[in-house]
Amino acid sequence: MASITKLPSGAYRVQIRRKGRYASETFLRRDDAHRWARQAETRVDQGLAPNKSSVSRLQTFGDLIDLHITDMCEIGKPPRRSKAATLTTLKRDLGKEKIGHLDRQKLIDYGKMRAEQGAGPVTLGIDIGVIKMIITHAAAVHGLDISPEPVDLARVALKRLGLIGKGTERDRRPTTDELNRLFRCFDDNDRLTLPMTRIVKFAVATAMRLDEICRVEWTDLDVDRRMLLIRDRKDPRNKTGNDQRIPLFAATGFDAWALVTEQAKELGHARGRIFPYNSRSVGTAFRRACVEVSVKDLHFHDLRHEGTSRLFEAGFAIEQVSLVTGHKDWKMLRRYTHIRPETLHRLAASRAPSPLETRAAE
């Protein structure tokens, strides 16, 4: 006869003693415990050993990572590139650690090691957050008797040590001279097969991310309205299905619609992707050109910042700019925006005087 005991964690431990055999498993739900007990007793009656549950086979932190990935894939939410990269790093560095040995000191030592490797405060904060997520998932979904408390304590310690914190806000914007030097470098390179000048101008014109530029298709283009549909835009809460239509105009100094038309002529067709290039190859070509023409500390993603700032400098309101950049949090959009003070002269000159100002002048 099976005995089922509720543990302090809320999970249920089931034990069977039958025909000289003993087996024990732990489950989150009582129904699962009863089901396993019946199956185990049937196997013992048949002269077979009871099957072990998936939870009982979990020994290392790497096992917990694999379990989390499997569960997320089953519900149609597999880890995307950035999260997958974090999970790979954690499995490499902590995967062999026994679950019970992953205590506060072990996590603090891991944080120090990652900092020595060059991981910044934001990156390390993400690592610790994912570790807690993995452990919490195992405890909540599978009833594993493990507490996330050591992770919380390690986070506090790493924060006090200055290894976890907010990142430095980037305000790097390319100058007109730097962009022109890059364009000349791209255009003079006979071995370069990528239309880098066109891609860079399009990035500034639309404030799109590099992976979005290399992903949009001709079927996403609304020729009549000169609109472009960007599918699954990046979103901290829900990326899948986060589609957005943006206008292709010349508000930032580069004409997005003209660039798309030029791209169609260059390809000789309008099928598949508009920019059918590997985003990593584009990023590599951009970095090499920056080195070649001595443009320092400029990332391709800074072009998105540049396009965003130019929209503000053109006089668009924050809610209008968000329709182009896709930011749902206006506070985040403000953080990404760096307007050059000298542009205020042009805005002031173009602004029509108010009735009060007109009467004051008279």
Side-chain angles (χ1 to χ4, degrees):
M1 182 67 181
S3 64
I4 298 178
T5 306
K6 188 172 184 178
L7 302 175
S9 64
Y12 295 90
R13 176 173 295 159
V14 54
Q15 299 171 301
I16 66 164
R17 294 179 175 82
R18 198 175 184 90
K19 296 185 176 180
R21 287 183 178 272
Y22 170 80
S24 174
E25 292 287 358
T26 303
F27 297 89
L28 179 62
R29 300 186 306 172
R30 180 181 287 274
D31 289 345
D32 293 335
H34 278 294
R35 187 180 303 107
W36 179 84
R38 289 194 298 269
Q39 294 173 349
E41 289 175 341
T42 299
R43 288 183 62 84
V44 170
D45 291 340
Q46 295 172 346
L48 303 173
N51 284 330
K52 287 191 174 183
S53 71
S54 59
V55 174
S56 67
R57 293 193 293 269
L58 301 176
Q59 300 294 326
T60 66
F61 184 66
D63 294 334
L64 297 189
I65 293 176
D66 292 338
L67 179 67
H68 176 78
I69 294 174
T70 299
D71 288 349
M72 299 310 292
C73 289
E74 286 181 355
I75 62 174
K77 293 183 178 181
R80 296 189 179 272
R81 188 172 67 179
S82 58
K83 182 179 177 181
T86 301
L87 292 173
T88 299
T89 300
L90 291 175
K91 190 169 184 179
R92 179 197 68 198
D93 296 337
L94 296 174
K96 295 181 180 179
E97 292 290 338
K98 295 291 186 182
I99 295 174
H101 296 172
L102 202 60
D103 56 12
R104 176 191 59 84
Q105 188 58 51
K106 186 77 69 174
L107 292 171
I108 293 174
D109 293 341
Y110 168 75
K112 292 178 178 179
M113 180 198 70
R114 286 285 284 144
E116 291 175 359
Q117 293 174 345
V122 174
T123 300
L124 185 53
I126 292 173
D127 286 356
I128 296 299
V130 172
I131 291 173
K132 182 176 180 179
M133 176 191 67
I134 296 296
I135 291 175
T136 303
H137 177 90
V141 177
H142 296 279
L144 198 67
D145 192 11
I146 180 173
S147 171
E149 183 180 1
V151 188
D152 293 330
L153 294 174
R155 176 183 284 277
V156 172
L158 292 170
K159 200 169 184 178
R160 296 284 179 87
L161 293 172
L163 300 181
I164 287 181
K166 295 182 179 179
T168 303
E169 182 180 333
R170 278 186 68 85
D171 59 359
R172 178 68 163 95
R173 292 183 59 183
T175 64
T176 301
D177 176 66
E178 287 175 329
L179 287 175
N180 288 334
R181 280 153 53 195
L182 287 171
F183 296 155
R184 286 194 296 270
C185 179
F186 296 141
D187 297 340
D188 293 342
N189 188 345
D190 296 332
R191 295 175 297 174
L192 185 63
T193 58
L194 299 170
M196 287 298 300
T197 295
R198 191 178 307 130
I199 293 173
V200 169
K201 288 181 177 180
F202 190 78
V204 175
T206 61
M208 289 172 61
R209 301 175 181 85
L210 177 55
D211 73 298
E212 294 171 345
I213 294 174
C214 295
R215 182 159 43 86
V216 288
E217 301 188 357
W218 290 105
T219 54
D220 298 325
L221 189 65
D222 185 339
V223 176
D224 295 332
R225 295 179 177 83
R226 295 193 176 186
M227 301 288 290
L228 180 65
L229 176 65
I230 305 175
R231 302 180 187 276
D232 298 335
R233 293 206 87 169
K234 183 179 179 181
D235 186 277
R237 300 174 195 85
N238 184 25
K239 178 177 179 180
T240 303
N242 183 35
D243 301 341
Q244 182 186 13
R245 294 167 66 247
I246 67 168
L248 298 181
F249 51 18
T252 64
F254 297 120
D255 190 336
W257 179 255
L259 291 166
V260 168
T261 303
E262 183 182 339
Q263 179 68 3
K265 293 179 180 178
E266 178 75 19
L267 294 175
H269 63 78
R271 301 184 305 274
R273 290 181 292 153
I274 297 176
F275 294 95
Y277 316 111
N278 188 301
S279 60
R280 290 189 177 135
S281 300
V282 174
T284 299
F286 184 81
R287 288 189 295 273
R288 286 175 177 171
C290 287
V291 173
E292 188 171 336
V293 298
S294 299
V295 174
K296 301 183 183 301
D297 189 35
L298 183 65
H299 306 163
F300 193 96
H301 193 73
D302 294 331
L303 302 177
R304 172 169 164 82
H305 299 184
E306 175 68 14
T308 303
S309 297
R310 288 191 181 197
L311 289 172
F312 279 100
E313 291 170 353
F316 288 94
I318 191 169
E319 64 270 19
Q320 295 170 323
V321 174
S322 67
L323 296 176
V324 178
T325 63
H327 288 96
K328 295 180 179 179
D329 185 344
W330 289 358
K331 184 188 299 183
M332 180 65 70
L333 179 59
R334 190 177 291 109
R335 185 177 71 84
Y336 271 74
T337 305
H338 304 92
I339 301 175
R340 293 191 175 102
E342 56 268 25
T343 61
L344 297 179
H345 287 298
R346 177 168 50 80
L347 285 175
S350 63
R351 186 171 63 89
S354 68
L356 287 176
E357 291 172 329
T358 302
R359 285 198 294 269
E362 294 174 352

